[in-house]
Amino acid sequence: MELDLETVEKIQERAIDFVFQYGPSLLGALITFVIGRYIINLLMKGLNKVFDKYEIDASLSTFLTSFSRALLFVLLFISIATQVGMELTSFIAILGAAGLAVGLALQGSLSNFAGGVLILIFKPFKVGDTIEAQGTLGAVESIDILYTKVRNFDNRVVTIPNGALANNSIVNLSQKPTRRVEMAIGVAYGTDLKKTRQVILSTLGKDERIHADPEPVVKFTSFGDSSLDLVVRCWADAGDLWPVYWDNMEALKEAFEANDIEIPFPQRDVNHYYPEGKK
């Protein structure tokens, strides 16, 4: 279909009118977006410097930075919308309706947001703590608006929703400065338990990482299938928990061998009954 000259002139006139009518507003909106984004980035850098200067908790600073950035961008878009000619009251009404629809669609995200606020208020853990939650054991790397990132000991990062963390049990392994080391040990039946206890306590006494108060204890717990079962409990700094456990398990094995204390292995007594008259 060919356009006649009159139609082309009308299209050109409308295009020119549109440019003159809306061009300045759209150009101003674009400039406002670029400048606003630059200012927001500057404000975020300044906010991070303030947090660093006053040594604000890393968990709180990460959360506040994410929340502030999102809030500033919302304000920027409101400013741009009013600049292109949209009335503020109409925009707020549209934003409210959209917010309701989005809120219904993102109930899980809102739950995660509320969970993040609760975590920051009650502080069951902070960045750097080692926690066990939702089947994950590792160190907390960050607490964001919606999610918490936990790094496993094999260097995998697990992202856990804040809502799940706030509404379920959390084991914080770093909150207390000391931890109890517990070792389960079995010795053969017929072993002198008093001598065994003395050997164990003497071995533990050589490790300076083990606290004298509370003092280590060795208790007989049960008659096992092939062993007399003992539990050894001592206290150490939280950071020394596993090194103390591994080192002393090896040291106790060597001490048992040096003192002729038998470490049992599973064994069974088999009795064979023959019918009468047969060997």
Coordinates of all heavy atoms in Angstrom, one line a residue, residues 115-168:
G115 N 11.5 -12.6 58.0 CA 12.5 -13.4 58.6 C 13.8 -12.8 58.8 O 14.5 -12.9 59.8
G116 N 14.2 -12.0 57.7 CA 15.5 -11.3 57.8 C 15.5 -10.3 58.9 O 16.5 -10.1 59.6
V117 N 14.4 -9.5 59.0 CA 14.3 -8.5 60.0 C 14.3 -9.2 61.4 O 15.0 -8.7 62.3 CB 12.9 -7.7 59.9 CG1 12.7 -6.8 61.1 CG2 12.9 -7.0 58.6
L118 N 13.6 -10.3 61.6 CA 13.7 -11.0 62.9 C 15.1 -11.5 63.2 O 15.5 -11.4 64.4 CB 12.7 -12.2 62.9 CG 11.2 -11.8 62.8 CD1 10.4 -13.1 62.7 CD2 10.8 -11.0 64.1
I119 N 15.8 -12.0 62.2 CA 17.1 -12.5 62.5 C 18.0 -11.3 62.9 O 18.9 -11.5 63.9 CB 17.7 -13.1 61.2 CG1 17.0 -14.4 60.9 CG2 19.2 -13.3 61.3 CD1 17.4 -15.1 59.6
L120 N 17.9 -10.1 62.3 CA 18.7 -9.0 62.7 C 18.3 -8.4 64.0 O 19.2 -7.9 64.8 CB 18.6 -7.9 61.6 CG 19.3 -8.3 60.3 CD1 19.0 -7.2 59.2 CD2 20.8 -8.4 60.4
I121 N 17.0 -8.5 64.4 CA 16.6 -8.0 65.7 C 17.1 -8.9 66.9 O 17.7 -8.5 67.8 CB 15.1 -7.8 65.7 CG1 14.7 -6.7 64.8 CG2 14.6 -7.5 67.2 CD1 13.2 -6.5 64.7
F122 N 16.8 -10.2 66.7 CA 17.0 -11.2 67.8 C 18.4 -11.8 67.7 O 18.9 -12.4 68.7 CB 16.0 -12.2 67.8 CG 14.6 -11.7 68.2 CD1 13.6 -11.6 67.2 CD2 14.3 -11.3 69.4 CE1 12.4 -11.1 67.4 CE2 13.0 -10.8 69.7 CZ 12.1 -10.7 68.7
K123 N 19.1 -11.7 66.6 CA 20.5 -12.2 66.4 C 20.7 -13.6 66.9 O 21.6 -13.8 67.8 CB 21.4 -11.2 67.1 CG 21.4 -9.8 66.4 CD 22.5 -8.9 67.1 CE 22.5 -7.6 66.4 NZ 23.5 -6.7 67.0
P124 N 20.0 -14.6 66.3 CA 20.4 -16.0 66.7 C 21.7 -16.4 66.1 O 22.4 -17.3 66.6 CB 19.3 -16.8 66.1 CG 18.8 -15.9 64.9 CD 18.9 -14.5 65.4
F125 N 22.2 -15.6 65.1 CA 23.5 -15.8 64.6 C 23.9 -14.5 63.8 O 23.1 -13.7 63.6 CB 23.6 -17.0 63.6 CG 22.7 -16.9 62.4 CD1 23.0 -16.2 61.3 CD2 21.4 -17.5 62.5 CE1 22.1 -16.1 60.2 CE2 20.5 -17.4 61.4 CZ 20.9 -16.7 60.3
K126 N 25.2 -14.4 63.5 CA 25.7 -13.3 62.7 C 26.7 -13.8 61.7 O 27.1 -15.0 61.7 CB 26.4 -12.3 63.7 CG 27.6 -12.8 64.4 CD 28.1 -11.7 65.4 CE 29.4 -12.2 66.1 NZ 29.2 -13.4 66.9
V127 N 27.1 -12.9 60.8 CA 28.1 -13.2 59.8 C 29.4 -13.7 60.5 O 29.9 -13.1 61.4 CB 28.4 -12.0 58.9 CG1 29.5 -12.3 57.9 CG2 27.1 -11.6 58.1
G128 N 29.9 -14.9 60.0 CA 31.1 -15.5 60.5 C 30.8 -16.6 61.5 O 31.7 -17.4 61.7
D129 N 29.6 -16.7 62.0 CA 29.2 -17.8 62.9 C 29.1 -19.1 62.1 O 28.7 -19.1 61.0 CB 27.9 -17.5 63.6 CG 28.1 -16.5 64.8 OD1 29.2 -16.1 65.0 OD2 27.1 -16.1 65.4
T130 N 29.3 -20.2 62.8 CA 29.1 -21.5 62.3 C 27.8 -22.0 62.8 O 27.6 -22.1 64.0 CB 30.2 -22.5 62.6 OG1 31.5 -22.0 62.1 CG2 29.9 -23.9 62.1
I131 N 26.8 -22.3 61.9 CA 25.5 -22.7 62.3 C 25.1 -24.1 61.6 O 25.7 -24.4 60.6 CB 24.5 -21.7 62.0 CG1 24.3 -21.5 60.4 CG2 24.8 -20.3 62.6 CD1 23.1 -20.6 60.0
E132 N 24.1 -24.7 62.2 CA 23.6 -25.9 61.6 C 22.1 -25.7 61.5 O 21.4 -25.5 62.5 CB 23.8 -27.1 62.5 CG 23.3 -28.4 61.9 CD 23.7 -29.6 62.7 OE1 24.3 -29.5 63.7 OE2 23.3 -30.8 62.3
A133 N 21.6 -25.6 60.3 CA 20.1 -25.3 60.1 C 19.7 -25.8 58.7 O 20.5 -25.7 57.8 CB 19.9 -23.8 60.2
Q134 N 18.5 -26.2 58.6 CA 17.9 -26.7 57.4 C 18.8 -27.8 56.7 O 18.9 -27.8 55.5 CB 17.7 -25.5 56.4 CG 16.7 -24.4 56.9 CD 15.3 -25.0 57.1 OE1 14.7 -25.5 56.2 NE2 14.8 -25.0 58.4
G135 N 19.4 -28.6 57.5 CA 20.2 -29.7 56.9 C 21.6 -29.2 56.5 O 22.3 -30.0 55.7
T136 N 22.0 -28.0 56.8 CA 23.2 -27.4 56.3 C 24.1 -27.0 57.5 O 23.6 -26.4 58.5 CB 23.0 -26.2 55.5 OG1 22.2 -26.5 54.3 CG2 24.3 -25.6 55.0
L137 N 25.4 -27.4 57.5 CA 26.3 -27.0 58.5 C 27.5 -26.2 57.8 O 28.1 -26.7 56.9 CB 26.9 -28.3 59.2 CG 28.1 -28.0 60.2 CD1 27.6 -27.2 61.4 CD2 28.6 -29.4 60.6
G138 N 27.7 -25.0 58.3 CA 28.7 -24.2 57.7 C 28.8 -22.8 58.3 O 28.1 -22.5 59.3
A139 N 29.6 -22.0 57.7 CA 29.9 -20.6 58.2 C 29.0 -19.6 57.5 O 28.8 -19.7 56.2 CB 31.3 -20.2 58.0
V140 N 28.4 -18.7 58.2 CA 27.5 -17.7 57.6 C 28.3 -16.6 56.8 O 29.2 -16.0 57.4 CB 26.6 -17.0 58.6 CG1 25.7 -15.9 58.0 CG2 25.8 -18.0 59.4
E141 N 28.1 -16.5 55.5 CA 28.8 -15.5 54.7 C 28.1 -14.2 54.6 O 28.8 -13.2 54.6 CB 29.0 -16.1 53.3 CG 30.2 -17.1 53.2 CD 30.7 -17.3 51.8 OE1 30.0 -17.0 50.8 OE2 31.9 -17.6 51.6
S142 N 26.8 -14.2 54.5 CA 26.1 -12.9 54.4 C 24.6 -13.1 54.8 O 24.1 -14.3 54.7 CB 26.2 -12.3 53.0 OG 25.5 -13.2 52.1
I143 N 24.0 -12.1 55.3 CA 22.6 -12.1 55.6 C 21.9 -10.9 54.7 O 22.1 -9.8 55.1 CB 22.3 -11.8 57.1 CG1 23.0 -12.9 57.9 CG2 20.8 -11.9 57.4 CD1 22.9 -12.6 59.4
D144 N 21.3 -11.3 53.7 CA 20.7 -10.3 52.8 C 19.2 -10.1 53.1 O 18.7 -10.6 54.1 CB 20.8 -10.8 51.3 CG 22.3 -10.9 50.9 OD1 23.1 -10.1 51.4 OD2 22.6 -11.8 50.1
I145 N 18.5 -9.3 52.3 CA 17.1 -9.0 52.5 C 16.2 -10.3 52.6 O 15.4 -10.4 53.5 CB 16.5 -8.1 51.5 CG1 17.2 -6.7 51.6 CG2 15.0 -7.9 51.6 CD1 16.8 -5.7 50.5
L146 N 16.5 -11.2 51.7 CA 15.6 -12.4 51.5 C 16.3 -13.7 51.9 O 15.6 -14.6 52.3 CB 15.0 -12.5 50.1 CG 14.2 -11.3 49.6 CD1 13.8 -11.5 48.2 CD2 13.0 -11.0 50.5
Y147 N 17.6 -13.7 51.7 CA 18.3 -15.0 51.9 C 19.6 -14.8 52.7 O 20.1 -13.8 52.8 CB 18.7 -15.6 50.5 CG 17.5 -15.8 49.6 CD1 17.1 -14.9 48.6 CD2 16.7 -17.0 49.7 CE1 16.1 -15.1 47.8 CE2 15.6 -17.2 48.9 CZ 15.3 -16.3 47.9 OH 14.2 -16.5 47.1
T148 N 20.0 -16.0 53.3 CA 21.2 -16.1 54.0 C 22.1 -17.1 53.3 O 21.7 -18.2 53.0 CB 21.0 -16.5 55.5 OG1 20.3 -15.4 56.2 CG2 22.3 -16.7 56.2
K149 N 23.4 -16.7 53.1 CA 24.3 -17.6 52.4 C 25.2 -18.2 53.5 O 25.8 -17.6 54.3 CB 25.1 -16.8 51.4 CG 24.3 -16.3 50.2 CD 25.2 -15.6 49.2 CE 24.4 -15.1 48.0 NZ 25.2 -14.4 47.0
V150 N 25.3 -19.6 53.4 CA 26.1 -20.4 54.3 C 27.1 -21.2 53.5 O 26.7 -21.9 52.5 CB 25.2 -21.3 55.2 CG1 26.1 -22.2 56.1 CG2 24.2 -20.5 56.0
R151 N 28.4 -21.1 53.9 CA 29.4 -21.8 53.2 C 29.8 -23.1 53.9 O 30.2 -23.0 55.1 CB 30.7 -20.9 53.0 CG 31.9 -21.6 52.3 CD 33.0 -20.7 52.1 NE 33.4 -20.0 53.3 CZ 34.2 -20.4 54.2 NH1 34.7 -21.7 54.1 NH2 34.5 -19.7 55.3
N152 N 29.6 -24.2 53.2 CA 29.9 -25.5 53.8 C 31.4 -25.6 54.0 O 32.2 -24.9 53.4 CB 29.4 -26.6 53.0 CG 27.9 -26.8 53.2 OD1 27.3 -26.4 54.2 ND2 27.2 -27.5 52.2
F153 N 31.8 -26.7 54.7 CA 33.3 -26.9 55.0 C 34.0 -27.5 53.8 O 35.2 -27.5 53.7 CB 33.5 -27.8 56.2 CG 33.0 -27.1 57.5 CD1 31.9 -27.6 58.2 CD2 33.6 -26.0 57.9 CE1 31.5 -27.0 59.4 CE2 33.2 -25.3 59.1 CZ 32.1 -25.9 59.8
D154 N 33.2 -27.9 52.8 CA 33.8 -28.3 51.5 C 33.7 -27.2 50.5 O 33.8 -27.5 49.3 CB 33.1 -29.6 51.0 CG 31.6 -29.5 50.8 OD1 31.1 -28.4 51.1 OD2 31.0 -30.4 50.3
N155 N 33.5 -26.0 51.0 CA 33.5 -24.7 50.1 C 32.3 -24.6 49.2 O 32.4 -23.9 48.2 CB 34.8 -24.6 49.4 CG 35.3 -23.2 49.3 OD1 35.0 -22.4 50.2 ND2 36.0 -22.9 48.2
R156 N 31.2 -25.2 49.5 CA 30.0 -25.0 48.7 C 29.1 -24.0 49.5 O 29.0 -24.0 50.7 CB 29.2 -26.3 48.6 CG 29.9 -27.3 47.7 CD 29.0 -28.5 47.5 NE 28.8 -29.2 48.8 CZ 27.9 -30.2 49.0 NH1 27.2 -30.7 48.0 NH2 27.8 -30.8 50.2
V157 N 28.5 -23.1 48.7 CA 27.7 -22.0 49.3 C 26.2 -22.4 49.1 O 25.7 -22.7 48.0 CB 27.9 -20.6 48.6 CG1 27.0 -19.6 49.1 CG2 29.4 -20.2 48.8
V158 N 25.5 -22.5 50.3 CA 24.1 -22.8 50.3 C 23.3 -21.6 50.6 O 23.6 -20.9 51.6 CB 23.8 -23.9 51.4 CG1 22.3 -24.3 51.4 CG2 24.7 -25.1 51.1
T159 N 22.3 -21.2 49.8 CA 21.4 -20.1 50.0 C 20.1 -20.5 50.7 O 19.4 -21.3 50.1 CB 21.1 -19.4 48.6 OG1 22.4 -19.0 48.0 CG2 20.3 -18.2 48.9
I160 N 19.9 -20.0 51.9 CA 18.7 -20.5 52.7 C 17.8 -19.3 52.8 O 18.2 -18.2 53.2 CB 19.2 -21.0 54.1 CG1 20.3 -22.1 53.9 CG2 18.0 -21.5 54.9 CD1 20.8 -22.5 55.2
P161 N 16.5 -19.5 52.6 CA 15.5 -18.4 52.8 C 15.4 -18.0 54.2 O 15.5 -18.8 55.1 CB 14.2 -19.0 52.3 CG 14.6 -20.2 51.4 CD 15.9 -20.7 52.0
N162 N 15.4 -16.7 54.5 CA 15.3 -16.2 55.8 C 14.1 -16.6 56.6 O 14.1 -16.8 57.8 CB 15.4 -14.7 55.8 CG 16.8 -14.2 55.5 OD1 17.8 -14.9 55.7 ND2 16.9 -12.9 55.0
G163 N 13.0 -16.8 55.8 CA 11.8 -17.2 56.5 C 11.9 -18.6 57.1 O 11.4 -18.9 58.2
A164 N 12.6 -19.5 56.4 CA 12.8 -20.9 57.0 C 13.7 -20.8 58.2 O 13.5 -21.5 59.1 CB 13.4 -21.7 55.9
L165 N 14.7 -19.9 58.1 CA 15.6 -19.8 59.3 C 14.9 -19.2 60.5 O 15.2 -19.7 61.6 CB 16.8 -18.9 58.9 CG 17.8 -19.6 57.9 CD1 18.9 -18.5 57.6 CD2 18.5 -20.8 58.5
A166 N 14.1 -18.2 60.3 CA 13.4 -17.6 61.4 C 12.4 -18.4 62.1 O 12.1 -18.2 63.2 CB 12.8 -16.2 60.9
N167 N 11.8 -19.4 61.3 CA 10.7 -20.2 61.9 C 11.1 -21.6 62.2 O 10.2 -22.4 62.5 CB 9.6 -20.2 60.8 CG 9.0 -18.9 60.6 OD1 8.6 -18.2 61.6 ND2 8.8 -18.4 59.4
N168 N 12.4 -21.9 62.2 CA 12.8 -23.3 62.5 C 14.0 -23.2 63.5 O 14.6 -22.1 63.7 CB 13.2 -24.1 61.3 CG 12.0 -24.4 60.4 OD1 11.2 -25.3 60.8 ND2 11.7 -23.6 59.4

